[in-house]
Amino acid sequence: MATTEERTEEQRLYDVFAKVCPSRGTLEHVTGRWGALTLGALYEGSYRFNELRRRVDGVSEKMLSQTLHALERDGLVHREARSANPPRVDYELTPLGHKVAGRLLALIQCVEGAMDDVLRARAAYDARTATV
């Protein structure tokens, strides 16, 4: 178990606000539209590619494929190809992916819960700026 001092030192190794920090790429993969929705869907359980594509409504086959590759490379998604006829490929979250997706879902639920306020704010903004 790392001490508080060791964890603090480890945290200093990565600074998402620094241009060259590798955490920026992962943050982009996780918080981009398709990454966030893919992680959120996989939090529900394992999916085959086309099942996942239907669950993440609006994503193209190409974008889902690219998203899954990026999330797999980052260690958030596990891809399992099974020998079958036709071939079967399943996607599921890794333990790290489950941890990240859980936090992401809290944000998603916060946004969904605040949508009435957001829509009121948008309407007020649009009314103010339409007369300018």
Side-chain angles (χ1 to χ4, degrees), residues 6 16 18 32-33 63 74 103 111 113 117 122:
E6 289 169 334
V16 75
R33 174 180 19 179
M63 281 308 306
D74 287 339
R103 292 181 182 217
V111 169
D117 293 332
R122 286 180 183 174

Side-chain angles (χ1 to χ4, degrees), residues 14-25:
Y14 302 104
D15 178 5
V16 75
F17 296 101
K19 181 169 63 171
V20 297
C21 185
S23 64
R24 274 197 182 185

Side-chain angles (χ1 to χ4, degrees), residues 1 4 19 24 32 41 43 91-92 95 99 104 115 132:
M1 181 103 192
T4 303
K19 181 169 63 171
R24 274 197 182 185
Y43 193 80
Y91 296 90
E92 63 185 356
K99 179 179 175 181
L104 185 59
M115 280 313 298
V132 175

Side-chain angles (χ1 to χ4, degrees), residues 9-100:
E9 182 61 30
E10 183 178 299
Q11 289 170 347
R12 281 187 233 146
L13 293 176
Y14 302 104
D15 178 5
V16 75
F17 296 101
K19 181 169 63 171
V20 297
C21 185
S23 64
R24 274 197 182 185
T26 301
L27 184 64
E28 186 177 326
H29 298 156
V30 168
T31 60
R33 174 180 19 179
W34 303 123
L37 294 173
T38 299
L39 288 170
L42 288 171
Y43 193 80
E44 300 167 353
S46 175
Y47 279 95
R48 292 175 73 179
F49 185 86
N50 284 324
E51 292 171 331
L52 187 56
R53 188 166 163 228
R54 284 189 295 274
R55 179 68 178 112
V56 181
D57 191 25
V59 67
S60 71
E61 189 172 318
K62 179 182 177 183
M63 281 308 306
L64 181 57
S65 180
Q66 289 175 354
T67 299
L68 286 166
H69 283 122
L71 295 173
E72 182 181 8
R73 183 170 183 253
D74 287 339
L76 303 172
V77 169
H78 173 72
R79 177 185 185 272
E80 185 171 340
R82 299 179 184 188
S83 297
N85 195 6
R88 179 183 173 111
V89 178
D90 292 299
Y91 296 90
E92 63 185 356
L93 295 177
T94 63
L96 176 59
H98 203 269
K99 179 179 175 181
V100 170

